């Protein structure tokens, strides 16, 4: 899935976090958080970005993914977000 996302979005960074163990009602499908940094998103609003991710992962959504949290950024958006929210804290580093 990682390579599929990287290739499709020509992504600079793709991170996939498996949060399945954090949920009480665990089933065999996964709870995932996906972070994608790509300039493909420059002229897209958040809805279109998320639709593109869901379309790309439609097979996985029917077979292996139960819940998906999507975070999409252009490279410039990521730099601003990173500096503001992550770099100066002890938060999880991407």
């Amino acid at each position: 899935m990682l390579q599929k996302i990287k290739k499709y979005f020509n992504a600079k960074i793709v991170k996939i976090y498996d949060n399945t163990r954090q949920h009480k009602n665990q089933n065999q499908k996964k709870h995932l958080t996906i972070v994608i940094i790509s300039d493909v998103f420059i002229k897209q609003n958040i809805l279109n970005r998320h639709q593109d991710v869901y379309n790309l992962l439609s097979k996985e959504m029917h077979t292996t993914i139960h819940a998906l949290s999507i975070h999409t950024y252009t490279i410039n958006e990521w730099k601003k977000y990173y500096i503001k929210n992550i770099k100066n804290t002890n938060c999880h580093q991407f």
Side-chain angles (χ1 to χ4, degrees):
M1 185 177 357
L2 178 68
Q3 292 306 319
K4 180 179 185 177
I5 295 168
K6 278 186 176 182
K7 184 177 179 180
Y8 184 83
F9 291 106
N10 192 26
K12 181 174 181 172
I13 299 171
V14 176
K15 296 290 183 178
I16 301 173
Y17 300 94
D18 187 344
N19 306 312
T20 306
R21 291 178 39 189
Q22 298 173 0
H23 297 274
K24 289 181 182 179
N25 295 327
Q26 296 178 20
N27 59 27
Q28 293 185 335
K29 291 187 176 185
K30 302 218 177 271
H31 293 249
L32 302 177
T33 297
I34 296 178
V35 179
I36 305 170
I37 293 92
S38 171
D39 278 343
V40 168
F41 301 128
I42 286 177
K43 294 185 178 184
Q44 291 184 327
N45 63 36
I46 194 166
L47 178 62
N48 294 126
R49 295 175 185 192
H50 288 204
Q51 285 175 332
D52 283 352
V53 175
Y54 281 118
N55 288 337
L56 178 66
L57 300 178
S58 63
K59 179 181 175 185
E60 291 86 349
M61 291 299 296
H62 287 99
T63 58
T64 59
I65 299 173
H66 173 71
L68 185 60
S69 174
I70 302 170
H71 303 276
T72 55
Y73 303 94
T74 65
I75 294 169
N76 283 335
E77 289 169 345
W78 176 246
K79 287 177 184 176
K80 290 176 189 175
Y81 175 82
Y82 180 82
I83 290 168
K84 182 179 178 186
N85 296 304
I86 297 174
K87 188 176 181 181
N88 299 317
T89 70
N90 292 325
C91 294
H92 179 77
Q93 298 277 329
F94 292 98

